[in-house]
Amino acid sequence: DVFAVLDAYDASIGDSHPTGPSPSGPAELTVTDVRVHRGDRVLAPVSLAAAAGDIVLIEGPSGSGKSSVFAALRGAAGYDGTVVMQGSDARALSPADWLAWAGQQPGLIAGTIAQNVALGQPHDAAASMDLIRRALDLACADDLDPATELGVQGAGLSGGQAQRVAIARAIHRFLSGRERGANTVIALDEPTSALDSETEQRLWASLRLLADEGALVLLISHRRSAREIANHIVTIGSEATA
């Protein structure tokens, strides 16, 4: 069955996004009346505008489509409306060039923690252990040794540790992109769901620090404490149409 799927794969799908230069200059994102397609439904419209230094908190009831908005931004779901990053339609950009995303599943691989944090980055950026350690520190994972070997799907870490490594990966993508003069939006989906309240407060402080250094952070969280660091709050309703 696996080989049948591989044989049917259309390689052109992987080239559906251009591979031009990453957006440069201070980050600026505008989402206008975006209605994400979920099967045969279209979710309620979402609009937001944010720039470097902002933390945008996206709230809403379960099933309202908060994670679906992130799926649209990263090219994993279709949508109506417009997403503009640095003056360019996001459909004309490769999501990997402007979005550093950590979802609710850590998505770790067999290898060292350092390799997981730097996954997908250019070799020169991935080789910077100082950058990896700073990303781990900001993700409240400074207690983890970057040289630690993990098993398949990150075996060897607790749920909270795996979540923090995934957050460190998103932060590392932002930090390494900034070193190359590129702008990367940090998008975190329920990043504290497996963390205790003390670690959660540390992470919120890290995100506020990154925003103050020029990051644009999109945050999905059901924790009320997230409101304390947000510049803008976007509430998504449960309305959907067929």
Side-chain angles (χ1 to χ4, degrees), residues 121-208:
Q121 295 300 291
H123 179 72
D124 56 342
S128 173
M129 188 56 67
D130 287 343
L131 211 61
I132 290 171
R133 290 186 183 279
R134 181 164 192 238
L136 286 168
D137 181 54
L138 288 166
C140 308
D142 47 312
D143 57 326
L144 300 178
D145 183 353
T148 300
E149 289 280 350
L150 305 180
V152 176
Q153 295 183 349
L157 297 178
S158 68
Q161 289 173 327
Q163 185 175 48
R164 285 180 283 152
V165 171
I167 295 167
R169 177 190 295 161
I171 292 174
H172 181 271
R173 182 176 289 274
F174 165 76
L175 294 174
S176 61
R178 185 173 62 181
E179 285 197 343
R180 301 191 305 273
N183 268 303
T184 305
V185 174
I186 301 174
L188 304 179
D189 191 346
E190 297 287 4
T192 65
S193 60
L195 305 184
D196 59 69
S197 58
E198 181 179 349
T199 307
E200 176 182 81
Q201 288 301 321
R202 282 187 60 201
L203 180 62
W204 292 157
S206 291
L207 295 182
R208 187 65 262 170

Side-chain angles (χ1 to χ4, degrees), residues 6-18:
L6 291 174
D7 290 341
Y9 173 67
D10 181 355
S12 66
I13 294 176
D15 298 325
S16 59
H17 295 287

